[in-house]
Amino acid sequence: MKAAYYERQGKASEVLRLGEFPVTQPGAGEVRVRIHASGLNPSDIKARTGFSGGMSFPLVVPHQDGAGVIDAVGTGVDSARIGERVWLFEAQYLRAFGTAAEFVVVPSQQAVSLPDNVSYEVGACLGVPALTAHRCLFADGEIKGRAVLVHGGAGAVGTAAILLAKWAGAWVATTVSTPGQADAARRAGADVVIDRWREDVTTVVKAATGQRGVDRIVDVSVKENLEIDIGCLANGGVISAYAMGASDDQLSVNLLRAMIAGCGFRFVYIYTVPFTAKSAAISAISQCLAEGAYCPTIGLHLPLDAIVAAHEAQESGQVIGKIIIN
C-alpha cells in the first residue's frame, strides 16, 4: 500500500515522505479499513513537529481521523462488518500507523458505522473535532434551551461545536476573525456571529442573552480569551478549553471574579477522555449524522501525493474548513 510517513520530527517539507508498505492483517478485535478520505487535524501537526512530545515509534504514518470501508476483520469481530462503511477516530493514537495511507488497522470499536447518506469526506471530518466538541458541550449536562459561546466558530472543533449545539437545541453565539470565517459559522447555524476584532464580544453576548450570559463556552484559546469568557458567562457556567499554543502552558485566574461568576473550568484532551464518554459522544454524533444535521465546511481536498502541501496549508491557518486527503 501507499502511505505518507516520517522518521523524524520537523518541517513538513523536510520529513514527510511517501512510500510503499505491506498491507497488514488485523489482529484479535481489530478491523482493516480501506481509506477513502483522511482528515487532517492540528494535533497531527503538533505530533509531527514535536510540540506534543517526541517520537513514540521509529516511523509514523500520521493522521488520526478518516473514513472508508472495512475489508478484513480479526478474530472476535463479526465477519458481517466486512464491507461496512465507517468513520475512524484515534487511528494513530498509541499506534504507529494512522490514516494517511491506503489501508489502516484499528481496534473494532474505533471504526464507527457511517450512514449511507454521509460522504467519506464528511466522515473524515468527525473524529477529533466532533468528539472534542461533544465533550466540551455535554460533559456538564444537557444544553437544550441553553446558551453557548464558541470561540473560533470556523475552525474544525468550532464548527463541530456549532453543529452539535444547534442539533441539541441550544442558542449559539460564535467569534470569528474574517468575513470568510463569518460565512462558514453562519452556514453551520450560529445564531449570532461576532467579529472579535471589531466588536466587543462581552457586550454583544450579554445584550443577546438579556444580560444573563452563556452556560457553556467552547474555547480554542482560553489564555487569550479568559477575561472575555468570565464576562460572558452566566452564573454557574462552564468554560471548556481544548487547545493551547506554545506559550500557553500557564493560566492565571482572577479567583474573586471566577468565584463571583460561579465559574467552572474543564480542560479537554480528547485522547485521554474516558471511553464511556466517547461512546456517548459517538451515539450523539451518529444520531446527528442520521438526521442530516452534521454538515461541516471542507476547505481543501488534496491527494495523498500532496501530503506536504496539506500539512503546510493546515499550518498556514488560511484554509477555512477541514483539509481532506483523498
Side-chain angles (χ1 to χ4, degrees), residues 51 86 123 222 239 274 319:
F51 175 91
V86 293
V222 68
I239 301 166
V319 177

Side-chain angles (χ1 to χ4, degrees), residues 1-192:
M1 70 174 183
K2 183 188 290 184
Y5 69 96
Y6 56 89
E7 296 175 286
R8 60 187 177 90
Q9 293 167 314
K11 290 177 60 177
S13 61
E14 295 176 357
V15 303
L16 281 172
R17 299 288 183 265
L18 289 173
E20 294 287 337
F21 296 85
V23 177
T24 57
Q25 296 299 316
E30 296 179 329
V31 298
R32 187 175 68 204
V33 178
R34 178 187 286 274
I35 296 295
H36 285 249
S38 175
L40 184 53
N41 290 298
S43 61
D44 299 314
I45 304 300
K46 291 175 179 178
R48 193 248 305 150
T49 58
F51 175 91
S52 51
M55 293 278 291
S56 298
F57 303 93
L59 182 149
V60 170
V61 173
H63 299 187
Q64 302 287 351
D65 299 339
V69 177
I70 294 175
D71 83 320
V73 300
T75 57
V77 180
D78 189 344
S79 61
R81 294 208 73 185
I82 294 174
E84 182 182 346
R85 302 172 78 251
V86 293
W87 60 273
L88 309 177
F89 67 94
E90 297 180 13
Q92 200 258 303
Y93 182 59
L94 303 179
R95 302 166 77 91
F97 277 55
T99 66
E102 293 178 320
F103 293 88
V104 70
V105 172
V106 297
S108 180
Q109 64 188 8
Q110 289 170 222
V112 183
S113 183
L114 184 68
D116 289 340
N117 64 326
V118 179
S119 70
Y120 293 116
E121 288 78 12
V122 169
C125 292
L126 302 172
V128 169
L131 292 171
T132 299
H134 186 277
R135 181 67 172 172
C136 290
L137 290 167
F138 297 97
D140 298 284
E142 291 300 317
I143 60 172
K144 184 176 181 178
R146 294 184 176 273
V148 174
L149 171 63
V150 177
H151 285 293
V157 175
T159 298
I162 296 171
L163 291 167
L164 289 171
K166 291 303 299 176
W167 168 75
W171 176 91
V172 181
T174 188
T175 63
V176 297
S177 299
T178 70
Q181 291 178 0
D183 291 340
R186 291 190 186 96
R187 286 196 301 272
D191 297 283
V192 173

